[in-house]
Amino acid sequence: MQSLGVMTRAVDLLFRVIDNPMREQYRTAWEKLQPAAKVSTMEDELFTHCTVLINVLTEAHIDCNDWENGWAWIDVLGDFNGGDLCMPQLGIQGPMPAGIHHRHA
């Protein structure tokens, strides 16, 4: 997980600039986790969940336990052609090439 630290630090920098009050809520939640539940990608971790999917087509789903107006980050990596980010509840579908960061709230 440490190899994701550079990416997490970049996301954290943007998070501080764009929505620091929410970022602080994430930090507070992280600090309240039991030590056995913590998996860090960097020293000053703030995300309580990190998923790495490799060659997976995800089905449409709703993350019902997320914070209201919370943040989720998606990083697409690799050498490929095609692929869309689809959010049917919002009526959004668009290209998501490798190396592009998307945020939804």
Side-chain angles (χ1 to χ4, degrees):
M1 293 300 287
Q2 293 297 322
S3 61
L4 297 175
V6 173
M7 191 180 323
T8 304
R9 282 190 289 280
V11 168
D12 184 32
L13 176 63
L14 291 171
F15 207 179
R16 287 175 193 258
V17 171
I18 296 168
D19 192 358
N20 197 55
M22 180 62 75
R23 185 229 179 247
E24 291 304 316
Q25 289 182 40
Y26 277 59
R27 253 324 274 157
T28 299
W30 171 260
E31 290 169 359
K32 290 180 180 178
L33 288 175
Q34 295 295 319
K38 293 181 179 182
V39 177
S40 296
T41 62
M42 63 181 200
E43 186 175 319
D44 191 28
E45 185 64 65
L46 65 144
F47 293 106
T48 58
H49 184 84
C50 178
T51 302
V52 177
L53 303 174
I54 300 172
N55 296 327
V56 175
L57 174 63
T58 60
E59 298 294 325
H61 67 281
I62 296 174
D63 294 328
C64 60
N65 291 321
D66 286 349
W67 269 321
E68 184 174 342
N69 298 316
W71 288 62
W73 292 90
I74 301 171
D75 291 301
V76 181
L77 309 169
D79 184 16
F80 61 89
N81 293 312
D84 287 346
L85 173 66
C86 302
M87 293 183 272
Q89 297 88 352
L90 301 175
I92 296 172
Q93 178 177 348
M96 190 163 179
I100 301 298
H101 302 282
H102 289 270
R103 169 243 182 222
H104 80 271

